[in-house]
């Protein structure tokens, strides 16, 4: 039922845009029309847009809708999780807003598709990465060592897993910035210019899979149990959403121990002094150890994003790194 509701909502949203005469495929960019413009000065493209949906727009709508439905059939609980997260973070962002931001801000439809489709793709990709890379690395770890690790109490495994994923995630994230071919995929995430909880899911699926694999594959190779793996994935997901949220939280002295919105917002800052900093997702001390920490205590970024303008719509953003 939730899958049907979310799918219908996405389709109704696109239908609403069509009735407003805006191209479906680029629904996230607001049209700018001068108040003194005449019909003669609008031009052929605008005239076509006001007449309905283009064939390309219809095709993109159908393909994107199919992707959403397939993703929900693979992981129908994603829709439930999305609703739960919305019920948690939307009120929080209203009460503790860092910046005035509409709940249905520009680009929210595309980000919902990112969340639903990428969530299913990430699960499939992680399973594949663990099966291939994890199994290969596991062969290098003595069986006796893996047995001892699996026999340790659950809380010890979780603490160890946190330390391993913090370093692995840092390494994977930093690689996405410093290796040019990887940056082409990661820049999809950094193209967001309005930070909120939903922006956390605005990522290319291959980017998500690469960063999560760098954090999770070592856990499997070392023999950590399913309980610790499951707990880490849940913690990583919630923490990722929290640090992207539009919340004016600095957390006082805890800002140096736990990643906060202020810490990660500087990672997304469109300001040269903050470039190539704050790669850690959980613990700022990792950035401090590797010399990439940037955390002014008394201010926030003035703006976010990168110089490149990303294309609008999920499918166009999916192929953007390949062009």
């Amino acid at each position: 039922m939730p899958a049907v509701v979310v799918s219908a909502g996405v389709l109704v949203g696109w239908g609403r845009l069509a009735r407003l005469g805006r191209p479906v495929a680029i629904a996230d960019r607001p049209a700018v029309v001068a108040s003194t413009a005449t019909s003669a000065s609008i031009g052929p493209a605008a005239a076509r847009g006001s007449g309905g949906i283009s064939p390309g727009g219809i095709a993109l709508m159908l393909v994107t809708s199919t992707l959403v439905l397939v993703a929900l059939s693979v992981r129908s609980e994603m829709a439930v999780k999305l609703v739960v997260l919305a019920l948690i973070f939307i009120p929080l962002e209203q009460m503790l807003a860092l910046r005035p931001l509409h709940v249905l801000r520009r680009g929210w439809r595309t980000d919902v598709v990112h969340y639903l489709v990428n969530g299913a793709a990430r699960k499939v990709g992680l399973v594949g990465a663990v099966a291939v890379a994890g199994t290969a690395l596991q062969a290098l770890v003595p069986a006796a060592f893996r047995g001892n690790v699996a026999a340790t109490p659950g809380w010890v495994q979780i603490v160890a897993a946190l330390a391993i994923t913090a370093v692995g995630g840092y390494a994977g994230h930093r690689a996405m910035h410093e290796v040019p071919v990887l940056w082409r995929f990661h820049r999809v995430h950094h193209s967001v210019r309005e930070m909120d909880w939903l922006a956390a899911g605005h990522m290319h699926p291959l980017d998500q899979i690469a960063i999560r694999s760098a954090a999770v594959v070592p856990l499997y190779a070392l023999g950590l149990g399913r309980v610790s793996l499951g707990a880490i994935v849940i913690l990583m997901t919630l923490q990722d959403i929290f640090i992207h949220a539009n919340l004016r939280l600095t957390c006082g002295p805890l800002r140096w121990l736990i990643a906060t919105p202020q810490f990660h917002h500087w990672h997304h800052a469109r300001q040269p002094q903050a470039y190539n900093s704050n790669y850690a997702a959980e613990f700022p001390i990792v950035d401090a150890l590797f010399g990439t920490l940037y955390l002014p205590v008394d201010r926030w970024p003035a703006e976010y994003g990168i110089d490149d303008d990303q294309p609008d719509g999920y499918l166009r953003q999916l192929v953007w790194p390949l062009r």
Side-chain angles (χ1 to χ4, degrees):
M1 183 61 182
V4 175
V5 172
V6 173
S7 303
V10 172
L11 297 177
V12 167
W14 277 313
R16 174 62 177 164
L17 291 173
R19 287 195 297 274
L20 291 175
R22 292 174 60 184
V24 170
I26 54 173
D28 294 337
R29 179 170 295 171
V32 179
V33 181
S35 59
T36 58
T38 64
S39 58
S41 65
I42 293 176
R48 285 195 301 270
S50 62
I53 311 175
S54 67
I58 294 175
L60 286 174
M61 180 185 69
L62 291 175
V63 174
T64 305
S65 302
T66 301
L67 285 174
V68 172
L69 292 171
V70 170
L72 289 171
S73 68
V74 174
R75 295 195 68 190
S76 59
E77 74 274 13
M78 289 295 294
V80 179
K81 291 178 181 178
L82 180 64
V83 173
V84 172
L85 290 171
L87 292 175
I88 294 172
F89 281 97
I90 289 177
L92 279 176
E93 290 188 333
Q94 293 298 308
M95 293 186 293
L96 302 172
L98 172 64
R99 289 179 172 84
L101 193 65
H102 294 294
V103 174
L104 302 181
R105 46 89 174 154
R106 184 178 65 223
W108 73 270
R109 294 175 181 82
T110 299
D111 288 352
V112 167
V113 176
H114 271 285
Y115 178 88
L116 296 173
V117 177
N118 294 354
R122 182 180 65 224
K123 180 180 180 180
V124 174
L126 280 177
V127 170
V130 168
V132 178
T135 302
L137 291 174
Q138 197 176 66
L140 303 176
V141 181
F145 179 84
R146 286 187 279 109
N148 291 333
V149 170
T152 57
W155 69 269
V156 176
Q157 291 190 41
I158 292 175
V159 171
L162 280 172
I164 294 169
T165 55
V167 176
Y170 173 93
H173 191 180
R174 185 166 181 173
M176 300 305 292
H177 280 260
E178 297 186 358
V179 178
V181 67
L182 298 180
W183 168 250
R184 294 177 66 88
F185 293 89
H186 192 56
R187 67 176 178 170
V188 173
H189 180 56
H190 276 269
S191 64
V192 297
R193 296 186 177 178
E194 293 180 297
M195 294 284 284
D196 67 356
W197 70 277
L198 192 55
H202 186 104
M203 298 180 70
H204 196 282
L206 295 181
D207 177 22
Q208 280 192 320
I209 293 169
I211 294 177
R212 287 292 178 90
S213 297
V216 172
V217 166
L219 303 183
Y220 177 80
L222 292 172
L224 288 154
R226 285 191 175 186
V227 173
S228 59
L229 282 170
I232 288 301
V233 170
I234 292 172
L235 287 173
M236 288 173 63
T237 301
L238 291 175
Q239 177 70 358
D240 193 42
I241 294 171
F242 170 67
I243 60 179
H244 286 86
N246 182 38
L247 299 173
R248 61 173 190 275
L249 293 178
T250 60
C251 299
L254 287 177
R255 68 166 66 91
W256 306 109
L257 300 177
I258 301 173
T260 62
Q262 185 186 38
F263 168 82
H264 194 68
H265 280 218
W266 277 111
H267 176 71
H268 281 264
R270 196 178 180 183
Q271 296 171 230
Q273 65 269 32
Y275 292 168
N276 304 318
S277 65
N278 299 4
Y279 296 114
E282 296 86 17
F283 307 112
I285 190 173
V286 179
D287 278 286
L289 289 173
F290 290 100
T292 53
L293 179 65
Y294 183 80
L295 186 55
V297 298
D298 57 344
R299 52 197 173 92
W300 292 72
E303 59 180 343
Y304 308 102
I306 57 178
D307 292 337
D308 295 335
D309 288 326
Q310 69 170 340
D312 299 305
Y314 177 77
L315 291 177
R316 287 193 174 116
Q317 291 168 11
L318 196 66
V319 301
W320 187 32
L322 306 177
R323 294 201 303 233

